[in-house]
Amino acid sequence: MPWKDKPALKLENLFVTHGSKKVYKKNEIFKKVNESNEYLFYLKEGFCYNFTTSDNGDVNIIRLLAPGSLFGEVTSVIEMGGSLTSTRAIAESCVYS
């Protein structure tokens, strides 16, 4: 992949070597708002998005995630509580944490 420079490949190798792999199906929600999150996530394959849902049920997409994306909450680092967003797989996606 031409966009993966040497530091990006080292980061990917770190997650693949030491992380926990999980494959999510299309439309599967795997990180939910207000749930405890102790992990930083690395998207190796597939596409996902971070989102919130309004009180009337509207979905607000916060960020699209492509292969090589890092995501997760700083809330776990600064002990603020649960996740601020949920994450949904747009296609089958391989994620390391």
Side-chain angles (χ1 to χ4, degrees):
M1 292 181 226
W3 66 87
K4 286 194 175 179
D5 57 10
K6 192 171 182 177
L9 289 173
K10 283 184 175 182
L11 181 63
E12 179 177 289
N13 186 50
L14 178 71
F15 274 92
V16 170
T17 303
H18 301 288
S20 176
K21 176 184 174 182
K22 178 102 189 222
V23 176
Y24 296 96
K25 296 177 183 174
K26 180 179 180 177
N27 291 321
E28 187 173 356
I29 297 173
F30 60 92
K31 183 175 74 68
K32 296 180 181 174
V33 71
N34 294 325
E35 284 188 350
S36 177
N37 172 28
E38 301 173 356
Y39 301 102
L40 179 62
F41 297 93
Y42 176 79
L43 179 59
K44 180 164 173 54
E45 298 171 356
F47 292 90
C48 303
Y49 61 87
N50 293 126
F51 70 98
T52 59
T53 306
S54 69
D55 291 339
N56 63 1
D58 293 332
V59 172
N60 302 301
I61 296 175
I62 307 300
R63 181 179 173 207
L64 293 173
L65 305 164
S69 294
L70 289 174
F71 60 101
E73 305 293 347
V74 296
T75 55
S76 61
V77 176
I78 57 177
E79 298 179 5
M80 283 182 55
S83 179
L84 299 175
T85 61
S86 298
T87 303
R88 177 177 299 208
I90 298 172
E92 184 173 278
S93 299
C94 175
V95 179
Y96 285 84
S97 58

